[in-house]
Amino acid sequence: MKQTAQLLFKNRRPGETVFLKEYERAGGYLGLKQALREMQPKQICELVKNSGLRGRGGAGFPTGLKWSFFPADKPAPKYLVCNCDEMEPGTYKDGELLQADPHQLVEGMIISAYALQADTGYIFIRYAYREQFANLQRAIAEATEAGYLGKDILGSGFSFELHVHGSAGRYILGEETALLNGLEGVRPNPRSKPPFPAVRGLFGRPTTVNNVETLSNIQHIVTGGAARFRDLALTVDGAGTKLYGLSGHLERTECFELPVGISLREIIDEYGGGVWRGRRFKSCLPGGASTPFLTSADLDVQLDYQTLEAVGSRFGTGGVTVFDDRTCMVAATLNLIRFFARESCGWCTPCRDGLPLVAWLLEKIEHGDGTRDDLQLLKSQYSNISGNSFCALAEGAMGPVDGLLRHFEQELVDHIEKGRCPFS
Amino acid sequence: MAELLTAEQIDQFRAHIAHIEHPRELIIDLLRAVQDKHGWVPDEGVELVAGLLGLTPLEVEEIATFYYKIYRRPVGRYPIHICDSICCWSRGGEALAEHLQKSLDIAPGETSADGLFTLLPTCCLGVCGRAPAMMIGRESYGPLNNEDVDRVLAELRQEAQA
């Protein structure tokens, strides 16, 4: 087990939250001072682009490129929104970060807002994160008191105000345009794109939406430089560290900051303590509920965007959920699909009607009542839904179905032929 | 019926609303405030929020019914959100949910006879490292076995009597 440089979890200690004094003692807000005193907004955008940082919320869009769409010349108000909906099953890393060190997000947002010349920020946070919400409120009050937030920050002439919005529980709010509707207080169905939020976002104004972990990396890129950030990754194309939340059938289910590009095997064996109860690895979701299953043939894959795409999955959120060899993959997929079907906002037909149909088919097969026709229908539903939904929710829901059909079709067939679940 | 919001809360919200450009952004804050005070959001709560924000009750209703953690029907003093998503499922979440149903003698969605507990299956609570988990009110618990659940229920029953 090699020691990983800790950027995001540097101040993390079990059961504790770091606030302003301690945060500053550990070098906090030096990045902000450096950015405001020594750098032009454009330089920071360029630096972030060169750092290779990609969005940590699941989609993996290059952050610098996203920022380049933001219109620097348009007048205020312009918004920077932080997405802390974090409701994808298996994903809890942003919650861990805000539990440990809320000022990191606040500092990252102030620097990012300066880079984008946004004047107002919102942190959108899920209902269940009560303590993280309170931590952020305190951090914002402390930062305002210390002159890091508000008017004319540290005498730079740059002003930024930051609000926290507590949500009330729906996965669809993690979709950035649904989130913007949620912030505005209208029914949070996703919006059609274009126009993209950079052009017309919150309250019709230019807006950038970034994830908690993404924004918390910005000060480390400012202080350490783009090259150092890239070097943290173990892959040639990769950049930075990643927060990996381990869950499922592992001995140790905790959240770790490790390099982008660490192998699945190392994460499972060294950090997860191996598959629980001395059992064998069967499969995993490498990056949250919407990422296609991997199998034991993939154990040596490096966890990064391109490398996981090459084996038919996605890096997603970095939440690794492991399944042991006694797991029925039909039942696991059914559980995942029920989640997506229930969380569908109901706006478009493939998602609203298609996901319950897929759940019903899987239920039938899992209960031993499935036929070959049902398997055929499952396959056709997979292709009917994929690429045809209004937003990414149903697309994500098809991730595990895709994995099931590619890697575990024999399990589906066994259920049908035996007329029961072979694992129960 | 318990109060929906105190006069002081209403005054504070009114002052805030007068200060901001887009009052409608407070809709969830208002609904959550009503729920915190009253336990759930009755029709009168929807009407109150609509009145404060200058919206129709229907405009508030379509928001209130969208979010799972806004209760539009009465719930027990302690709403229990039992996670049924993949990580909790993989570590015994289903058995835990069954144990809760038996202990409380209710089906999902129902409230116990003593009016204390409502059992609500919920999606991932964001504590996947501590599966299986549940959230009672706003408090997360996990990892849990049947004995842990019994202990928590007993504590809350005792708290309710005090």
Side-chain angles (χ1 to χ4, degrees), chain A residues 223-374:
Chain A
T223 54
R228 178 172 171 259
F229 190 75
R230 292 188 94 102
D231 286 347
L232 289 168
L234 302 177
T235 44
V236 182
D237 299 325
T241 61
K242 178 82 194 72
L243 302 181
Y244 298 92
L246 308 187
S247 62
H249 298 152
L250 291 171
E251 284 295 339
R252 208 163 41 239
T253 52
E254 292 167 25
C255 189
F256 299 94
E257 179 175 15
L258 297 165
V260 163
I262 189 171
S263 81
L264 180 57
R265 189 186 299 278
E266 189 177 348
I267 249 193
I268 288 172
D269 291 344
E270 303 295 331
Y271 295 91
V275 177
W276 73 344
R277 300 175 180 174
R279 293 182 195 164
R280 285 161 52 144
F281 175 90
K282 177 173 188 177
S283 180
C284 78
L285 299 158
S290 64
T291 55
F293 297 118
L294 299 179
T295 71
S296 52
D298 303 313
L299 277 168
D300 291 310
V301 70
Q302 290 185 284
L303 301 179
D304 193 359
Y305 300 94
Q306 287 94 330
T307 45
L308 280 164
E309 274 163 35
V311 295
S313 193
R314 290 191 303 111
F315 197 19
T317 61
V320 181
T321 308
V322 169
F323 303 106
D324 66 22
D325 54 1
R326 298 193 192 178
T327 309
C328 170
M329 297 312 290
V330 179
T333 310
L334 173 59
N335 176 281
L336 290 160
I337 283 294
R338 278 180 177 154
F339 161 79
F340 287 108
R342 192 172 63 193
E343 293 297 330
S344 170
C345 78
W347 184 254
C348 73
T349 311
C351 187
R352 182 191 59 242
D353 293 350
L355 299 187
L357 178 55
V358 170
W360 178 74
L361 288 167
L362 288 171
E363 212 170 274
K364 225 178 137 187
I365 295 170
E366 170 62 13
H367 293 159
D369 303 322
T371 64
R372 290 267 174 185
D373 287 347
D374 291 328

Side-chain angles (χ1 to χ4, degrees), chain A residues 158-181:
Chain A
F158 172 67
S159 302
F160 182 59
E161 57 174 275
L162 185 54
H163 310 281
V164 194
H165 171 90
S167 188
R170 268 316 270 278
Y171 172 65
I172 190 63
L173 276 293
E175 200 281 338
E176 63 175 7
T177 61
L179 185 153
L180 296 177
N181 278 340

Side-chain angles (χ1 to χ4, degrees), chain A residues 87 90 92 122 126-127 130 166-170 183 185-188 203 247-250 253 335 342-343, chain B residues 22 24-25 28 32 62-63 66-69 84 86-87 89-91 122-126 128-129 138-139:
Chain A
M87 284 181 73
Y92 61 102
Y122 282 89
R126 65 172 296 183
Y127 182 85
R130 181 185 58 168
S167 188
R170 268 316 270 278
L183 279 180
V186 300
R187 194 169 168 95
F203 305 117
S247 62
H249 298 152
L250 291 171
T253 52
N335 176 281
R342 192 172 63 193
E343 293 297 330
Chain B
H22 310 282
R24 194 171 174 149
E25 70 177 296
I28 296 292
R32 276 175 58 163
E62 67 170 11
I63 304 299
F66 192 91
Y67 291 92
Y68 293 142
K69 265 72 180 184
D84 60 11
I86 192 75
C87 304
W89 174 86
S90 76
R91 294 179 81 102
T122 182
C123 70
C124 186
L125 295 166
C128 313
R138 305 286 306 279
E139 190 79 40

